[in-house]
Amino acid sequence: MGAARWRIEILSGLTVALALVPEAVAFAFVAGVHPLVGLYAAFIVGLITACIGGRPGMISGATGALAVVMVALVSAHGVEYLFATVILMGVLQIAAGIFKLGKFIRLVPHPVMLGFVNGLAIVIFLAQMSQFQIHDAAELGEKAADPVWMSGTPLAMMLGLTVLTMGIIWATPKVTSVIPAPLAGIGIVALIVIGFGIDVPRVGDLSPISGGLPSFHVPFTFMPISTQTGEYGDLLAYFTWDTLVIIAPYALILAAIGLIESLLTLNLVGEIVNKRGGASQECVAQGVANTVTGLFGGMGGCAMIGQSMINVKSGGRTRVAGIAAALFLLAFILVASPLIEQIPLAALVGVMFMVVIGTFAWNSFNIMRKAPRVDAFVIVLVTVTTVMYDLAIAVVVGVIVSALAYAWQNARRIHAEVDMMEDGTKVYKVQGPLFFGSAEGFAELFTPHEDPDSVIIDFAGSRVADQSALQAIEAIAGKYEGEGKAVQLRHLSRDCHELLTNAGQLIVDSDDDPDYEVAVNYSVKTGVMAGGH
């Protein structure tokens, strides 16, 4: 890797680190924990996933999708239970990677992906709105518990600096590629604010970010205080069922949300950098990162689409950028907090607004006009559900609706062409897949009472897919048998043959065709169809 590439990667990492600070602090507030808990999570999760994650260029850290779940746990049981939950969350994610469950992300349809990026873009936008509120108790007086929106000159200055940052980010690539555009926007606006002493909210107004190195910390919930010695007991001795009952539901939800967001971000970044694969490796990396984070006093995290887009758009393509971002963040905490705390929030808001513009799939409006109405509905449904609830629910709902729509469309495809042979045998040439959705329509194709004594059901244009299909064939054969008529199944593929043979429903009358590997003619076993399995 040449000097130019190193420069791009390191500057991209610096840009990401600056954008991580207010996000980590804000999400820590959402979860109800100290800001350093969020910053430590951003550092540890970001560093580990950058080193061993499934896609170079991705950025991970503390996220709002996880924070909104954590707040209920923290308020009910305390922060020690959060650390224990994050550890278990990590273990579950490692298991998902080992068993290669990440591959199921390929089942997410494209309309769900569009809804995902649109919903997340809106969530990122809405998250910036809190920066346009006044939280200072000294300014609010009795209203300290209820932040109010800026107005007048403060609002005008905040909006002006935000727009200025966005303008610089837009113009920088047209002038130079030496420095990432988001970093140029943050740097120039920060110099203007600090140089002219402009009174606008800064990072330090959110919370001081100075601190020490994260230290190893076994959650106290694992180790009760001994009534005799006053000391904490053995870890393994106290990992009780009661503790597991409390943390397991939260851990499962957090693990699912974290993996879904991470794997969808992995696919999104993969499309931009033209890379594929890495799902199982990403699951393991997220799991290791969260397990370690829980043991070092962090709130856990997952991939961040906003920061990942900043990194990719700034030129970050290797693991160096992610590692640099994590190390810069640690440096901010240890030594550079006085300087970082002077950065105006308007500059960081401007960066995130540009991320929103770049992340939102604007072509989805055009797609919705041309795509089937079901796909358009799924895009809107996933977008709204992501904003109103959370990403995991949105993706699951989107996949379910898409699957049901697909099943319904395929169920309507079942039909049959009817021919009569010279010997009087009636042939039903079934067209379309035979599965649970089309089983009822399949049964309606036949008229056992009116048909001749010999009937052939030809599956050359169909496919027997599941147990419901077997039951449908069994039911039809039973009706023909009840009428005293013979029925044969023809042109079943080898896998369909295995399904029916395993169910005990067929006698092979002829060998498989050696060229096409399709069964030519099967007879239904008498006595089986009427009695079932």
Side-chain angles (χ1 to χ4, degrees):
M1 194 166 65
R5 172 48 55 184
W6 277 98
R7 174 183 55 79
I8 292 173
E9 298 290 334
I10 292 175
L11 289 179
S12 180
L14 175 59
T15 307
V16 170
L18 291 172
L20 278 171
V21 172
E23 297 280 295
V25 172
F27 294 145
F29 284 145
V30 170
V33 297
H34 192 278
L36 280 177
V37 175
L39 291 168
Y40 287 154
F43 161 63
I44 297 173
V45 174
L47 180 62
I48 293 176
T49 55
C51 291
I52 64 174
R55 176 84 69 245
M58 282 180 57
I59 302 296
S60 296
T63 64
L66 299 180
V68 295
V69 177
M70 295 173 179
V71 62
L73 174 64
V74 173
S75 62
H77 301 284
V79 71
E80 294 295 328
Y81 276 88
L82 172 61
F83 298 148
T85 302
V86 171
I87 294 171
L88 181 56
M89 164 191 173
V91 172
L92 293 174
Q93 291 176 329
I94 292 173
I98 292 174
F99 291 104
K100 301 186 182 302
L101 300 183
K103 63 185 178 183
F104 289 107
I105 200 67
R106 69 186 64 172
L107 297 178
V108 176
H110 188 62
V112 176
M113 280 292 296
L114 290 176
F116 157 72
V117 296
N118 289 350
L120 225 53
I122 295 172
V123 169
I124 294 172
F125 174 80
L126 295 176
Q128 308 311 309
M129 293 298 99
S130 64
Q131 310 305 341
F132 292 89
Q133 294 178 325
I134 299 174
H135 299 265
D136 190 349
E139 294 186 38
L140 294 177
E142 295 180 357
K143 297 182 180 180
D146 186 18
V148 297
W149 292 99
M150 293 179 177
S151 60
T153 302
L155 177 61
M157 293 298 299
M158 188 74 175
L159 289 174
L161 292 172
T162 299
V163 173
L164 176 60
T165 303
M166 296 173 69
I168 295 171
I169 294 173
W170 174 81
T172 298
K174 304 179 184 301
V175 178
T176 179
S177 60
V178 173
I179 184 172
L183 183 58
I186 294 172
I188 293 173
V189 172
L191 288 175
I192 292 174
V193 169
I194 296 173
F196 289 93
I198 301 175
D199 185 18
V200 291
R202 308 186 186 191
V203 171
D205 295 330
L206 285 178
S207 173
I209 65 169
S210 61
L213 287 169
S215 57
F216 184 77
H217 172 81
V218 176
F220 292 162
T221 182
F222 286 170
M223 303 184 299
I225 297 177
S226 170
T227 55
Q228 297 178 342
T229 66
E231 298 178 352
Y232 287 99
D234 179 67
L235 168 62
L236 296 178
Y238 187 57
F239 192 71
T240 64
W241 177 256
D242 291 338
T243 302
L244 187 63
V245 167
I246 293 174
I247 68 175
Y250 290 101
L252 185 60
I253 294 171
L254 291 171
I257 293 174
L259 288 184
I260 290 173
E261 183 162 358
S262 298
L263 294 175
L264 291 178
T265 303
L266 180 136
N267 284 350
L268 190 63
V269 173
E271 291 179 2
I272 296 174
V273 301
N274 197 25
K275 299 287 185 181
R276 293 292 181 269
S280 296
Q281 183 177 345
E282 185 64 29
C283 292
V284 173
Q286 293 290 336
V288 172
N290 282 306
T291 302
V292 174
T293 301
L295 290 171
F296 280 84
M299 61 183 284
C302 65
M304 306 180 75
I305 187 173
Q307 277 66 19
S308 296
M309 291 299 100
I310 291 174
N311 185 46
V312 172
K313 296 297 176 61
S314 298
R317 291 293 185 274
T318 71
R319 299 189 185 277
V320 172
I323 295 172
L327 295 179
F328 275 124
L329 185 59
L330 180 62
F332 296 163
I333 297 172
L334 297 179
V335 296
S337 58
L339 177 62
I340 301 303
E341 289 171 3
Q342 295 304 309
I343 295 176
L345 289 174
L348 300 175
V349 171
V351 171
M352 298 311 295
F353 278 174
M354 292 300 287
V355 169
V356 169
I357 294 173
T359 300
F360 194 91
W362 300 100
N363 66 328
S364 59
F365 293 112
N366 188 42
I367 291 174
M368 285 191 291
R369 288 199 300 269
K370 299 178 179 179
R373 284 181 292 180
V374 170
D375 289 346
F377 173 74
V378 169
I379 294 173
V380 175
L381 176 65
V382 174
T383 299
V384 173
T385 307
T386 299
V387 175
M388 299 298 295
Y389 297 96
D390 64 59
L391 174 65
I393 293 176
V395 171
V396 170
V397 168
V399 170
I400 291 174
V401 172
S402 297
L404 291 175
Y406 175 79
W408 174 253
Q409 291 167 358
N410 278 275
R412 296 168 60 187
R413 290 172 52 192
I414 196 78
H415 65 282
E417 298 175 0
V418 180
D419 288 335
M420 295 296 295
M421 300 177 66
E422 293 181 0
D423 62 358
T425 299
K426 188 174 184 179
V427 180
Y428 287 92
K429 297 181 179 179
V430 181
Q431 305 292 320
L434 179 55
F435 67 112
F436 69 91
S438 60
E440 184 175 348
F442 172 78
E444 295 173 356
L445 300 176
F446 304 95
T447 55
H449 180 69
E450 302 173 2
D451 286 347
D453 292 338
S454 180
V455 173
I456 295 174
I457 304 177
D458 192 333
F459 289 91
S462 182
R463 187 179 187 85
V464 179
D466 58 13
Q467 180 63 31
S468 295
L470 303 183
Q471 290 294 121
I473 295 173
E474 179 180 355
I476 289 297
K479 290 181 180 179
Y480 279 108
E481 185 179 21
E483 295 285 342
K485 301 173 181 179
V487 62
Q488 291 182 326
L489 310 180
R490 178 174 291 178
H491 290 133
L492 286 166
S493 63
R494 186 181 296 275
D495 55 348
C496 295
H497 166 212
E498 292 176 356
L499 276 174
L500 291 163
T501 302
N502 291 338
Q505 295 170 320
L506 293 180
I507 298 175
V508 180
D509 283 351
S510 60
D511 295 331
D512 285 349
D513 184 294
D515 294 325
Y516 302 100
E517 295 186 349
V518 294
V520 176
N521 204 355
Y522 298 104
S523 291
V524 177
K525 184 184 296 184
T526 58
V528 175
M529 291 299 180
H533 304 305

